[in-house]
Structure formats: C-alpha cells, structure tokens
Amino acid sequence: MVRVTDLDTFSALLAPEGQQLLAVLRDHDPADELATATRLRRDHPAPLVSAALGQARLRQRAAAKFGPDAARMYFTPNGVEQSTRAPVAAHRAARLAALGVRTLADLCSGIGGDALALARAGIRVLAVDRDPLACAAARANAEALGLADRIEVRCADVTEVDTAGYDAVFVDPARRTKARGGRIFDPEAYSPPLSWAVEAARAAPHAALKIAPGVPHEALPEDAETEWISDGGDVKEAVVWFGTGRAGARRATLLPAGDSLLGAGLPDPEPGPVGGWLYEPDGAVIRAHLVAEVAEQVDGRLIDPTIAYVTADRLRPTPYATAYAITDVLPFNVKKLRALLRERGVGVAVIKKRGSAVEPEELRRKLKLAGPHACTVFLTRVAGAPTMLLGHPAGPDA
C-alpha cells in the first residue's frame, strides 16, 4: 500500500533533490525496495525517500492508464485508481472539441488526467477539486507535460464554483467510499450526487458526466445521450452527454478503433435455434442495450430471450461482436464434455459463461484437459435449457 504524501513532502518532490530521487527510481524494481530505501536514506531525508519510492510505485501502476506520460506525472493512490484511462479521456475530449467547445470547467478533476486530454484537444480548462494534494498533483502534471498555459487549477468545493461563461462542464463524481475505497453503485451516493451533476450540466451549453457503466437505465436523464465506452474489450465507463442534439439516445463506443454504434430503438429479436455462428457482443453494446442492433447487422437471433448471445446461419462481420464458428450444441453434461474434448485432443479450453451457475475454473479442473488442440466452450442457456456450445473464434479468412 502506498502511503499518502503530505503537501510539504510533495512540494519537496518537485524541488531539485526530489527530482534527483525520482530520476534514480525511474526504472526501480519494487522487489529491491528495502535495499534501495536503505541506500538512499544515507544521503537523503527519510520522508523524502519514502515519498519518492511511493511516487515511483504509483507511476508504474499508472503506466497501464497513461502510457509513457506516467513516467513524468505525479499521482495520489486515489488518483491512480479513479483516473480515466488516457485513450478514453482523449476520445471524450475529441467529442467535446468537435461540438465546438473551447473553454470547459472540469469539476472533480482529481490529479488532472482528463484536464490533460482536454488541453491537448485545444480546450482551455478550469480544473476544480477540493483535495489540496490532488490539486498540487494536477498543477505539477500540467507543468510536466507542457500544458500549464491551458489548465488553471483551483482548490475549491465544486458546488460553489460559478461555471457561467464556459462552453461546457465535465463532472467526474467520486464513486468510491473514503473508508474502504469500495465502489458506490447508487448514483445519488456519488460525491457530488448525480442529481446535482445533472443540474450543473443543464446550465451549460454542453456537458459530459462520467458515471459507472453499470448505472440503471432508469436513473439516466431523458434529455441526455448516454454513451458506454469499452477499451480493448473492457467496459470502462458511461458518459451522460448534454448538448449533442440526441436526447434519450444510447450509444456504444469501442476503443481503440473508435467504432460507435448509435441505438435505433429496435425491439429485442425473437429467439431461435443455434446456427453455425455465435456472436458475443462487446460489453459496451450489452450495457447500452444495443444487442438488437447487432442482431440486425448480422441477420441474427437470440439463443434465449434472457441471454445476450446472438446466433446466425451465415458469418457477417461486425466490429461490435466477436464471432465464433459453432461445431457442437449439447445439453450441459460434464462427463460428455470431458469425453468429447479428450477424443479431440483439446488441451486448451477457453470457457465462457452467460446465464450459467457453473464456475469456469471448477469445470476446468474436472475436465483434466490434455492435447495439442484448442476449443472455446460456452456455458449458457438455449430456449431456457442449460446448454454447452463448442466452437472456435472466426479466423481472418472466415
């Protein structure tokens, strides 16, 4: 666990001695931390060494979100945990810039991850947060990345900031408890609550509110567009958009390609028998309730009214779902599955489940796989019955 640095020690990190320590620790191996700390404390104050080591660990963790920039940035533990992944922030900033936004109030800005992306998109940003340490990190990050002339950082309560005169507001409410860092699922328990953020958004020409992707659709404002975003197949967030001209719309965007599916309000397709192909929609598509739109694209049907798998008789490419060629459709039975996989020499099985209570790892142990071949096993329901589907991903020449 990384100890939270106080403001005085953080300031010392920005001074020449702190910068020297951070440079030494740039490629630091956490496994050698005790020996490294002992060596550095011979020539530097112990609190500064601890702060530099903590910052080095945070930078290493943040590389997954910020890429090469992380090595020059400054973080708090909450900042690393709650910051937007850089490609997602860049996508959102590009949408705001395309709407004509040139000035924006970033409320609950944290360490400034979104402010950096907005500034790089040519937008002047007022970044507001009530945490003094987060604000110090945001200022340091703007300076480190050469964006200080586009980002003003203000330490204040966002509910007391006048956003009149800005082209847009962006609100990223805290969605974790302070005590244990657990996720908050009730939008009204956000800090500030979603209802306050919605009212702040409605007062601006344009707005974007970052919320948890699992938000109930009934909690979404009817006068806004909501976009679910996945990056590399993982659903990262939902964004409630005001001022796009698409009130009530639902959208799924898949990064890094940037494919974006806008809902057409289609009814759920009728279920039917499993065909030769199975489509697994991206998580953002499922969260946005746009499985029907994918089914229409591939001329498909559901395998069950309650399951988000689409099946079709022919392969039709779509960026919004992964296609699998299906070889077997069997009632769920562990012994039969084990015998079939053994007969085919399957040593590697990718086990996916949707609508099944079976745990994939427990099943894998029971299968005792061995052999040179691979297979994908779907544990699901077809027309309400527990079913096993066997197949493999569609190849590039399919």
Side-chain angles (χ1 to χ4, degrees), residues 30 37 41 70 131 147 240 248 294 297 317 331 345 348 359 380:
R41 283 171 182 162
D131 181 351
L147 297 167
V240 178
V294 171
Q297 284 188 0
V348 177
E359 290 301 326
T380 186

Side-chain angles (χ1 to χ4, degrees), residues 82-85 92 114 170-173 175 190 194 208-212 236-240:
Q82 298 182 23
S83 289
T84 304
R85 187 177 289 261
R92 184 168 47 239
D114 281 285
F170 169 62
V171 189
D172 181 6
R175 297 180 300 282
Y190 293 174
L194 179 60
L209 313 180
K210 175 181 171 181
I211 59 176
K236 294 301 179 184
E237 64 181 55
V239 185
V240 178

Side-chain angles (χ1 to χ4, degrees), residues 126-278:
L126 169 65
V128 184
D129 202 282
R130 65 183 178 184
D131 181 351
L133 186 57
C135 289
R139 291 190 188 96
N141 288 332
E143 186 70 34
L145 298 182
L147 297 167
D149 62 330
R150 289 188 169 273
I151 300 174
E152 174 193 347
V153 180
R154 184 182 303 174
C155 194
D157 186 327
V158 297
T159 63
E160 299 174 359
V161 174
D162 183 7
T163 60
Y166 289 90
D167 297 335
V169 298
F170 169 62
V171 189
D172 181 6
R175 297 180 300 282
R176 291 181 180 272
T177 60
K178 290 183 178 180
R180 298 183 180 179
R183 295 183 185 275
I184 296 173
F185 297 99
D186 178 7
E188 286 307 295
Y190 293 174
S191 180
L194 179 60
S195 57
W196 178 90
V198 167
E199 291 309 309
R202 287 173 175 154
H206 303 284
L209 313 180
K210 175 181 171 181
I211 59 176
V215 62
H217 279 230
E218 56 268 23
L220 298 171
E222 295 182 358
D223 56 338
E225 171 192 341
T226 305
E227 177 183 30
W228 282 260
I229 303 172
S230 67
D231 185 23
D234 294 329
V235 184
K236 294 301 179 184
E237 64 181 55
V239 185
V240 178
W241 291 92
F242 291 82
T244 67
R246 296 188 178 93
R250 302 290 183 262
R251 179 188 298 271
T253 298
L254 282 54
L255 302 177
D259 296 297
S260 198
L261 178 63
L262 187 63
L266 299 179
D268 288 339
E270 290 296 321
V274 178
W277 298 93
L278 187 77

Side-chain angles (χ1 to χ4, degrees), residues 292-315:
E293 278 74 1
V294 171
E296 183 181 59
Q297 284 188 0
V298 302
D299 191 22
R301 54 197 176 268
L302 298 178
I303 64 170
D304 184 278
T306 63
I307 303 296
Y309 281 139
V310 175
T311 188
D313 301 316
R314 290 192 298 163
L315 176 63

Side-chain angles (χ1 to χ4, degrees), residues 20-32:
Q20 179 188 353
L21 280 170
L22 289 174
V24 168
L25 294 169
R26 183 180 179 93
D27 299 316
H28 165 64
D29 183 353
D32 299 331

